[in-house]
Amino acid sequence: MDLGPGVTLRGKYLLTSSIGRGGMGEVFSARGLDDNREVAIKVVSHRIVDDTLMARLEREALAARRIRSIYVPEVY
């Protein structure tokens, strides 16, 4: 699947622009289709995905979800 502006992910988020790209993948600006909320979505490159990496990313996301600060983005 080619990702870019105009693509809808899982029927929930419409990608609006690319924010940045790096060695792990790409980050997109997107809009929630059900609540119109602006979000950032990190897409990991299929070339580097393995169970260890995905477990690490999940742990990081769960830890980041616990942070409540106006200076830190919410993680969903």
Side-chain angles (χ1 to χ4, degrees):
M1 168 188 225
D2 288 327
L3 294 179
V7 171
T8 300
L9 295 179
R10 296 190 174 201
K12 295 177 73 172
Y13 299 100
L14 175 65
L15 301 182
T16 55
S17 64
S18 175
I19 296 174
R21 184 180 306 207
M24 289 186 68
E26 193 165 358
V27 177
F28 293 94
S29 176
R31 177 117 359 236
L33 296 177
D34 40 336
D35 59 6
N36 209 35
R37 182 183 297 212
E38 187 174 347
V39 298
I41 296 179
K42 183 176 190 175
V43 179
V44 179
S45 173
H46 69 278
R47 292 185 296 272
I48 65 167
V49 171
D50 63 20
D51 291 340
T52 302
L53 174 65
M54 293 311 293
R56 186 181 110 208
L57 290 174
E58 186 173 347
R59 282 192 311 272
E60 289 176 3
L62 291 172
R65 281 180 85 167
R66 292 191 294 263
I67 300 171
R68 298 285 183 247
S69 169
I70 62 171
Y71 304 105
V72 177
E74 286 184 63
V75 175
Y76 303 99

